[in-house]
Amino acid sequence: MPLYWMYEAAQSSLGPARALADAGRLYFKNPANPASHTDWGRKMGAMCEVFERATRRYGKPEFGLATTLVNGERLAVTEKAVWSRPFCNLVHFERAMRPGARKQPKLLIVAPMSGHYATLLRGTVEAMLPDHDLFITDWTDARLVPVTDGSFDLDDYIDYLISMFRFMKGDVHVMAVCQPAVPVLAAVARMEADNDPFVPHSMTLMGGPIDTRENPTAVNQVAIDRGTEWFQRNVVTMVPWPHPGAMRQVYPGFLQLTGFVSMNLDRHVEAHKEFFNHLVDGDGDSAEKHREFYDEYLAVMDLTAEFYLQTVDTVFVRQSLPKGEMTHRGKPVDCSKITRCALMTVEGERDDISGVGQTKAAHTLCSSLSDDKRVHYLQDKVGHYGVFNGSRFRSQIAPRIHDFILSNQPRAASPSKPAAPAEAPQKAEPADVGAEAKASTGADAAVKVRATAKRARSNGATRLAEPQGPADDLTRITGVGPKLQAVLNEAGIFHYWQIARMTEDERVSLDAKMTPPGRIARDKWVEQAARLVEAG
């Protein structure tokens, strides 16, 4: 527990020295200062900058992608959060397309939740943006999430992914970069097992640890040798005040960064020596490249302890997925159920984090997938980061992924897939709820909804033993997260229409299972559900 507090104390104590160094940098680089034109002055300025940057806490970077080139035309790009939960925002890169322009395939890039921010994939986004309607998962720093927002583990991660796929009505292709390869594969497997109509068209897994028994790396071996308990004792600590997530148990970013740097310590020391020499020599271009790289590399986020430890145990220690032992919410993750979602795997010949063969193992697990729906590609002369960034990614990997996506894009894909069989008996009644809500807006709509719900009570109980057709994504209702959706499912509520016609007794009963109570009325679940029924 004291570890994080000690780190914060060290950061605070370095504040005055860092401010003084920054002032010295400005002083010795000012052209009006005669010392700035001397070798001694340039060295002093360079020393001040190296010290300030080495002791700085780096904040979340920006994507900074203001434009992109689509079919030879430069278009403006705007970032917009279209789906949000406490630990993640789904960001859409909206392009100013011409009216009537041909629609491009939707691509959801699942960024790794392994220390760095989603902006680490800036090059990936930039390469895929011209040919795809692009979305990306923007994970939230755990130290910024209040404890009252609940926990977040690997099961929650999979819940988030399933919710995103349903939010996009399944009309999407998904790309998982490194760590999320396992939860993405698990999410698709669970959806396929449930015959969910919103399964993505395809998934591309890149440098992911699907089966760490294949060609194990030093990273894999450390996890096996030390075990989950060692990580719990040595790397888990508690967020200190005054961060919003105070008292939350996390694997802190500064410890992750220590691990990243220690793996290639000599290279980082040499890079900073070269940076110092570039500053002294006045090589501005080389110095700026160093700044850009380390502004991204040194920006890290905290991970929730439960997510980190469950991932270490499931993926690296027990290797549950390839052994057929992985579960999600108590249900088995069976990749042999995958038959509709096409699979592409990409590996790097020199990957020292996810060894060659670890990602390809997904094809063995997806044994029911037809040959025309599977592709594997091994890129020579690239390491882990070269799998999703750099010149070879842009020239050789990205075009192959684009071709794979196009080959699995339905020719006449509709905006959404059918939500449920038309003959489901309970579906006819809630349509009336939405129809009456549509007739009015504002307060009048609320009155209509309550009146219709009251009349619907005589039609029978709203609780079901199981969903009538595919279950609705109840997390689309503001105030309902994955855990509350599980509470509702346990109570026999799987569909929007059930909430729309909820009785007062049912509301009171459900409120008693929630902390704090009163959410249903406060967040207007009944009215929201009626609008979702109306929207179809």
Side-chain angles (χ1 to χ4, degrees):
M1 179 175 174
L3 188 61
Y4 213 139
W5 296 78
M6 293 169 63
Y7 171 76
E8 291 291 339
Q11 282 289 312
S12 298
S13 64
L14 284 170
R18 191 162 48 245
L20 183 62
D22 196 35
R25 175 185 66 85
L26 295 173
Y27 175 77
F28 285 107
K29 287 193 172 185
N30 190 333
N33 180 4
S36 68
H37 303 286
T38 67
D39 185 61
W40 175 83
R42 289 193 295 271
K43 288 181 178 179
M44 289 297 295
M47 182 177 64
C48 288
E49 181 168 354
V50 171
F51 175 82
E52 189 276 330
R53 291 183 61 83
T55 58
R56 179 196 305 178
R57 168 178 269 175
Y58 289 79
K60 179 181 177 181
E62 300 290 335
F63 277 101
L65 301 174
T67 64
T68 189
L69 195 65
V70 179
N71 297 325
E73 183 179 6
R74 180 66 61 179
L75 301 179
V77 177
T78 305
E79 297 175 32
K80 181 180 178 182
V82 295
W83 178 98
S84 183
R85 295 292 183 274
F87 290 91
C88 184
N89 291 316
L90 181 61
V91 176
H92 181 205
F93 292 88
E94 294 185 345
R95 302 164 301 171
M97 302 286 285
R98 292 180 178 274
R102 183 179 180 181
K103 292 184 178 180
Q104 295 178 327
K106 291 181 180 178
L107 174 62
L108 167 57
I109 298 179
V110 183
M113 192 179 186
S114 55
H116 288 105
Y117 291 95
T119 49
L120 184 69
L121 304 186
R122 183 184 293 103
T124 315
V125 173
E126 189 174 19
M128 306 304 291
L129 193 54
D131 301 309
H132 305 88
D133 187 10
L134 197 62
F135 300 77
I136 194 169
T137 56
D138 186 15
W139 301 104
T140 305
D141 191 336
R143 67 189 171 96
L144 302 179
V145 183
V147 176
T148 53
D149 282 335
S151 61
F152 182 86
D153 58 18
L154 184 58
D155 283 343
D156 293 313
Y157 194 123
I158 295 172
D159 286 337
Y160 274 34
L161 294 176
I162 293 174
S163 181
M164 291 178 199
F165 299 154
R166 290 174 175 170
F167 169 77
M168 303 179 77
K169 304 297 185 183
D171 185 20
V172 65
H173 303 263
V174 59
M175 175 194 293
V177 180
C178 188
Q179 168 267 324
V182 170
V184 165
L185 185 59
V188 172
R190 286 299 312 132
M191 295 178 76
E192 289 269 32
D194 292 340
N195 199 28
D196 196 306
F198 298 141
V199 171
H201 301 312
S202 75
M203 56 179 163
T204 301
L205 311 180
M206 308 177 68
I210 299 298
D211 188 351
T212 56
R213 299 173 300 178
E214 297 285 341
N215 194 18
T217 64
V219 176
N220 307 148
Q221 199 60 46
V222 166
I224 295 173
D225 293 343
R226 296 182 176 177
T228 309
E229 293 77 12
W230 184 93
F231 290 97
Q232 185 167 11
R233 291 193 307 268
N234 292 277
V235 305
V236 171
T237 184
M238 197 169 288
V239 178
W241 183 87
H243 298 296
M247 307 308 290
R248 179 182 293 280
Q249 287 196 326
V250 297
Y251 175 28
F254 66 86
L255 280 183
Q256 299 171 59
L257 185 59
T258 301
F260 296 153
V261 173
S262 63
M263 289 178 64
N264 298 285
L265 183 59
D266 293 344
R267 185 193 306 174
H268 292 295
V269 171
E270 187 62 31
H272 280 76
K273 286 181 180 179
E274 292 178 359
F275 177 55
F276 177 87
N277 292 329
H278 293 323
L279 293 172
V280 174
D281 296 339
D283 187 351
D285 290 341
S286 297
E288 187 58 31
K289 289 180 180 178
H290 176 97
R291 294 189 190 99
E292 290 176 357
F293 174 79
Y294 279 99
D295 282 351
E296 189 73 55
Y297 187 79
L298 298 177
V300 289
M301 55 187 283
D302 296 353
L303 308 180
T304 62
E306 57 271 18
F307 166 76
Y308 175 71
L309 294 174
Q310 189 179 353
T311 299
V312 169
D313 185 60
T314 301
V315 178
F316 297 100
V317 176
R318 294 191 294 114
Q319 296 119 2
S320 300
L321 181 60
K323 292 179 180 179
E325 300 170 356
M326 184 175 178
T327 61
H328 169 251
R329 304 296 182 199
K331 297 181 179 179
V333 175
D334 185 359
C335 296
S336 67
K337 299 294 184 180
I338 299 176
T339 57
R340 291 172 288 163
C341 181
L343 170 66
M344 178 178 187
T345 53
V346 181
E347 295 181 331
E349 179 188 25
R350 300 174 181 173
D351 195 332
D352 58 354
I353 296 180
S354 295
V356 174
Q358 292 187 9
T359 313
K360 185 180 180 181
H363 291 281
T364 302
L365 299 179
C366 299
S367 56
S368 301
L369 201 59
S370 59
D371 290 340
D372 63 322
K373 285 183 171 290
R374 58 172 80 233
V375 175
H376 175 69
Y377 178 67
L378 176 65
Q379 177 61 54
D380 60 352
K381 300 180 181 179
V382 301
H384 186 70
Y385 292 97
V387 171
F388 59 87
N389 206 350
S391 59
R392 285 191 172 87
F393 169 76
R394 292 190 297 271
S395 63
Q396 300 185 48
I397 298 177
R400 286 179 167 85
I401 296 175
H402 177 56
D403 289 345
F404 171 73
I405 289 174
L406 287 180
S407 65
N408 288 282
Q409 174 71 8
R411 291 182 179 274
S414 58
S416 63
K417 298 181 181 179
E423 62 272 14
Q426 281 79 1
K427 287 293 179 179
E429 295 171 2
D432 296 333
V433 176
E436 291 207 28
K438 188 175 181 180
S440 305
T441 59
D444 291 339
V447 172
K448 290 284 188 181
V449 167
R450 287 194 292 270
T452 307
K454 184 176 180 180
R455 291 196 301 272
R457 293 169 197 164
S458 60
N459 294 332
T462 62
R463 301 192 180 200
L464 307 173
E466 59 184 18
Q468 298 297 308
D472 291 330
D473 180 9
L474 302 182
T475 62
R476 292 183 64 187
I477 297 175
T478 301
V480 178
K483 292 188 180 299
L484 282 182
Q485 178 170 254
V487 171
L488 292 171
N489 291 164
E490 289 174 3
I493 296 177
F494 303 93
H495 303 285
Y496 302 135
W497 63 264
Q498 292 177 275
I499 298 176
R501 71 183 206 183
M502 188 179 295
T503 68
E504 182 66 19
D505 290 342
E506 288 174 329
R507 185 186 65 77
V508 172
S509 176
L510 282 174
D511 264 341
K513 300 178 182 180
M514 302 176 191
T515 304
R519 295 182 182 220
I520 298 175
R522 183 177 61 252
D523 294 333
K524 296 182 173 56
W525 287 12
V526 173
E527 289 82 352
Q528 289 189 65
R531 287 193 291 270
L532 288 168
V533 170
E534 171 196 2

